Amino acid sequence: MISMSPLFSSSAPPSPAELEARIRLHCLPELGPKRLQKLLSAFGTASSALSAPASSWRALGLPAACSDARRSSTVREQASSTLRWLEQSDNHLLMWDSDQYPALLAELSDAPPLLFVRGNPGLLELPQLAMVGSRRASTPGLDTALRFAKSLAAGGFVITSGLALGIDGAAHQGALDAQGKTIAVMGTGLERMYPARHRTLAADIVASGGALVSELPLTSPAHASHFPRRNRIISGLSLGVLVVEASPSSGSLITARLAAEQGREVYAIPGSIHHPGARGCHQLIRDGATLVESIEHILEALRGWQGVSPVVDVPAPVSHPLLELLFAAPQSSEALVLASGWSLVEVLAALTELELEGRVSCEAGRWYAR
């Protein structure tokens, strides 16, 4: 546990008044973790900080927007709503001085002072592997994420991701398919589900013994600035981060960079040089990330944390001439005709059979191995 102000030096739960004061501070605009730490170091408790004169806040270099909002009815109502939320089953609030606060996350200099959790907060202390990637992932990329997550979760790792569309969603679903556990770190408040189409997935995560996590006040909407903050929590909770598919501009690379800065392992799955979604992973590998072609490449580094035995290896054994070509790179039917020497009729018939077996898929006229 990191050394914090006197407020966070004891594991004793705060009084009801102090708890409300912490929540009110947390709801103030422009008051992030480091500014909150500065306040608590100066005043000792959240209650004292709230009652201090505005001039004392200005002397600490805090913006007027923080001190001016302290006594607003909006902030008071947010705090009251949060306290009512905590009375419901499965809703939890972890603070820096809580015995349940995850130790790995506490190592960060900007660790969230408060973490809202719906579901099982105990998961946050278990060995986790983060999986992230493109929101607009290809079908093979989604399949790879699903299979890696399924294998790692079946072996005992908690799969942590960001509940986004694409690779994140596939990673959560893979863990659920294996009857494993998964944590979704959100870039909104827990009462503002984003993206809306993952509402059912979020409910399934909680119902299966997983958890939804956010540092943001409960009703915080989606905002571009929230997601980089979310990413540091994803990497901070985890032993390592696996990037499955990402373009050079993907936010997943931010998560990978944060993981490296936090001393976590960074893994990346390579792809075809012709696939834009592989370029971010290739950049990570050039920068020192571990190239991953199978589950074993991850287990070699993390085996000491959990006795994980791979349920599925990736990629699956190749036993078909067209699959050998497609594992090398996605191709059109016409390109497969030229590469294989088969007739178009033979290629299309074989692809149809492989597609029915779930071993290939077609996107925008190009065939991919699964």
Side-chain angles (χ1 to χ4, degrees):
M1 188 71 65
I2 57 177
S3 175
M4 298 305 300
S5 67
L7 174 61
F8 297 108
S9 62
S10 170
S11 61
S15 67
E18 180 64 16
L19 174 61
E20 181 180 6
R22 294 187 193 187
I23 295 171
R24 283 175 61 187
L25 285 180
H26 185 68
C27 292
L28 295 179
E30 300 184 35
L31 190 66
K34 292 185 177 180
R35 284 176 172 169
L36 179 55
Q37 181 179 347
K38 181 182 290 188
L39 271 176
L40 297 171
S41 296
F43 299 109
T45 67
S47 299
S48 297
L50 277 176
S51 61
S55 59
S56 298
W57 283 47
R58 289 195 299 271
L60 293 173
L62 299 177
C66 292
S67 59
D68 292 348
R70 284 180 293 169
R71 295 173 180 83
S72 74
S73 59
T74 300
V75 169
R76 289 179 180 276
E77 178 53 36
Q78 280 183 294
S80 297
S81 297
T82 300
L83 291 171
R84 291 193 295 270
W85 180 84
L86 287 171
E87 295 173 356
Q88 303 172 31
S89 62
D90 280 337
N91 292 344
H92 309 272
L93 179 60
L94 305 185
M95 291 172 280
W96 266 325
D97 57 344
S98 167
D99 288 337
Q100 290 183 305
Y101 197 90
L104 274 180
L105 188 63
E107 294 176 357
L108 307 188
S109 61
D110 58 350
L114 284 75
L115 275 181
F116 297 94
V117 180
R118 176 174 292 149
N120 180 7
L123 285 187
L124 277 65
E125 280 284 15
L126 296 181
Q128 299 168 50
L129 185 77
M131 292 183 61
V132 295
S134 173
R135 286 175 169 80
R136 295 178 291 276
S138 67
T139 298
L142 295 172
D143 186 60
T144 297
L146 188 81
R147 295 170 68 192
F148 266 92
K150 185 174 181 179
S151 182
L152 289 162
F157 280 105
V158 176
I159 302 301
T160 299
S161 195
L163 200 67
L165 300 176
I167 296 298
D168 287 20
H172 291 305
Q173 190 61 57
L176 295 177
D177 290 348
Q179 286 76 55
K181 296 295 185 289
T182 183
I183 295 171
V185 183
M186 297 172 55
T188 62
L190 295 186
E191 292 294 284
R192 293 288 292 269
M193 185 56 56
Y194 179 85
R197 71 178 75 175
H198 274 174
R199 190 177 302 277
T200 299
L201 176 60
D204 290 344
I205 289 172
V206 174
S208 69
L212 309 179
V213 176
S214 177
E215 70 171 323
L216 298 167
L218 294 173
T219 58
S220 298
H223 189 276
S225 65
H226 292 167
F227 295 97
R229 293 177 59 186
R230 183 269 318 262
N231 293 346
R232 87 186 192 287
I233 299 176
I234 294 174
S235 57
L237 285 169
S238 305
L239 300 171
V241 173
L242 172 63
V243 183
V244 177
E245 186 176 280
S247 68
S249 61
S250 172
S252 305
L253 271 62
I254 296 176
T255 310
R257 176 180 56 80
L258 291 169
E261 292 174 355
Q262 294 163 356
R264 311 305 197 247
E265 299 287 341
V266 179
Y267 308 97
I269 297 177
S272 167
I273 60 172
H274 304 293
H275 179 32
R279 292 173 186 165
C281 292
H282 293 172
Q283 181 62 54
L284 289 174
I285 293 168
R286 288 194 296 272
D287 291 343
T290 300
L291 187 153
V292 170
E293 295 175 309
S294 72
I295 299 297
E296 280 299 330
H297 293 153
I298 297 175
L299 301 184
E300 288 170 4
L302 301 182
R303 197 181 299 278
W305 287 92
Q306 193 80 358
V308 181
S309 298
V311 176
V312 183
D313 201 6
V314 181
V318 176
S319 58
H320 193 286
L322 295 187
L323 282 178
E324 294 179 1
L325 295 171
L326 292 176
F327 270 121
Q331 300 188 49
S332 66
S333 303
E334 292 77 9
L336 287 172
V337 169
L338 295 174
S340 66
W342 295 9
S343 69
L344 180 60
V345 172
E346 291 173 323
V347 166
L348 292 176
L351 289 173
T352 300
E353 184 177 344
L354 290 169
E355 186 174 30
L356 291 172
E357 294 173 357
R359 303 175 74 185
V360 301
S361 62
C362 185
E363 284 189 22
R366 301 177 75 193
W367 291 91
Y368 294 80
R370 300 187 65 183

